[in-house]
Amino acid sequence: MAEEKQIIQAQFGVALKYLREARHRTRQEVVDHNDISLNALASIENGAALVKLNTLTMLLNYYDISLEDFAAQYVDADGAPDFVTTMQQLINDDTRFFILDTKGATSSNNYSDQDFSQYHWNAHRFNKMRTGDWFVYRRPQGNTKFWYFFGAGQIGPMTRDTQGNQHAQIINSIAFTYYLTPDDLRTFPWMFRTRTGKDWQRFFNQYGMTEITRADFNGLLTIALDRMDLPLLTRAFAEDDVHAYRDIHNGHFGITEKIEPHKQRIGQRQLAEAVRLNYGYQCAVTGIRTRPLLVASHIIPWADSPQNRLDPSNVICLSPLWDKAFDQGLITFDAADQTIRLAPQVQTDNRLYHELAPFKGKKMHDPVRDKPKREFLEYHNRKIFKG
C-alpha cells in the first residue's frame, strides 16, 4: 500500500506541476483562487503529500481540463519518452543535418513548400539530402538581414519529378514557440563553417540548403527548447504544436471544445510568438524590445470569441503594464485611428497616470501584417474600455 501511495504521489503531483506551468500560473495565483494553502500545494507538486480526490477535482476545474484529458496529457505523458530523446535514437552515423530556407507556400514555388508537411528542391543544384536526415527551418525575410529559425524536423519519403525536382514529406516535426533570431546566435559556436564577419552575409548557402554538423543541429535545438521552457516535450505535444502552427498560418482560428484545454496551451504559445514576430519584437506602444517582457494581448478576450482565439489580428504585442491596463479596460486603441485612449480612473493613481499619460493620443506601432481589425477594436472600445 505504501508503494502504491508513492506512485500516486509522483504521478499526480508532478503532473499537476506540469499543468500549472503549462498554464503559466504561479502557485500563489492557484492558491488565491482555490481552497488550498501554499504549503499544501507545494507538498502535492513535490510528491510529499497524497492528492485527495476532492482537491484534484477542484484544481482540474480551476484549470478547465477534464480528468481524462489531464491523465492523457500530463499523467501518462510523465512516463512517455521525451521527444528529443526519441529523435536522437533515430540518428545514426550516416545521418546528415541541414538548414532549410523556406518562405512557406507561395506562388513562386507553386505552393510546393508547406511548413512541417513537405519541402522541394532541385536535385541538379543540391543532391545531398536523403530520407532520414534532419533539418532546422530558416525563414529569410526578403532582402533584409533579419531571419529566424522556427522549427525542425526529419526528411520523410521522397519522390522526384521529370524536371529533376525532389519532393520530400516532412515527419517528426517540432514547431518552435521561441524563434531563434540573429541576436540569439551572436556567439553560437558553429562547427560546419567559421563565421568571420559581424553580419551573416554568405554564411548560409544562397540556394537555400546548408549542410551543418550534428553538433550544430543539437546546439540549435537545445537553445530553442530551453527558450521554449517546456516542462516536457512528448510526441503528442510536439504534434499539437505543429497543428497549432498550421491552424494559425492557414487562417483556422477556432478551437473545438473537446481539445480546447490542450490546444489553448499549445495554440497560445504559437500565437504569442507569431504576434511578437509580427510586431518586430517590440511593444506596440512603448517600443520596448526585451523579448521576455513582450505579451500577446487579446483584443476580444479568449473566452468571449472562440472563433477568433488564434487570429493574429485579434492580438497586439504589448509590454506587461500595457497588457494589464488593456485587459482591465484602463486603456484602449481607438477603432478609427488606433490612437491610445486612457480611462478617466487612470488619473486617480498619480503613478499610473505618470506612466501612461505620455502616450495618450499617440498611434500604436503598426505590425508587419495582420493589423488589428476595426471590429475587434470596436468591441474593446464598447465592452471593455472603462471610458
Side-chain angles (χ1 to χ4, degrees), residues 275 278-279 283-285 297-300 308 311-318 326 332-340 363-381:
V275 169
N278 194 28
Y279 280 83
C283 171
V285 175
S297 186
H298 275 75
I299 302 172
I300 302 180
N308 294 308
D311 187 346
S313 64
N314 186 37
V315 190
I316 302 171
C317 183
L318 299 172
F326 188 58
T332 194
F333 301 95
D334 188 271
D337 58 14
Q338 297 186 358
T339 54
I340 298 164
K363 189 176 182 298
M364 75 163 74
H365 301 299
D366 284 334
V368 176
R369 60 183 65 85
D370 298 317
K371 296 181 179 180
K373 291 182 180 178
R374 180 165 182 157
E375 57 265 35
F376 296 160
L377 291 175
E378 287 175 343
Y379 180 97
H380 192 277
N381 294 169

Side-chain angles (χ1 to χ4, degrees), residues 83 86-87 90 116 134-135 152-154 170-174 235 238-239 242:
F83 187 46
T86 302
M87 291 173 63
L90 296 174
F116 304 107
W134 291 86
F135 67 89
Q154 187 179 26
I170 305 303
I171 59 176
N172 294 323
S173 300
I174 296 177
R235 181 181 293 275
E239 290 175 351
V242 169

Side-chain angles (χ1 to χ4, degrees), residues 205-235:
N205 289 341
Q206 294 183 357
Y207 47 81
M209 305 177 74
T210 304
E211 186 173 4
I212 59 177
T213 69
R214 180 172 181 172
D216 294 324
F217 176 81
N218 287 340
L220 294 173
L221 200 61
T222 297
I223 294 174
L225 294 176
D226 283 348
R227 299 293 176 85
M228 287 163 63
D229 193 28
L230 289 172
L232 183 70
L233 180 64
T234 64
R235 181 181 293 275

Side-chain angles (χ1 to χ4, degrees), residues 330-335 339-343 359-361 381 385 387:
L330 298 176
I331 67 108
T332 194
F333 301 95
D334 188 271
T339 54
I340 298 164
R341 295 162 56 188
L342 306 184
F359 299 93
K360 181 180 179 181
N381 294 169
F385 183 54

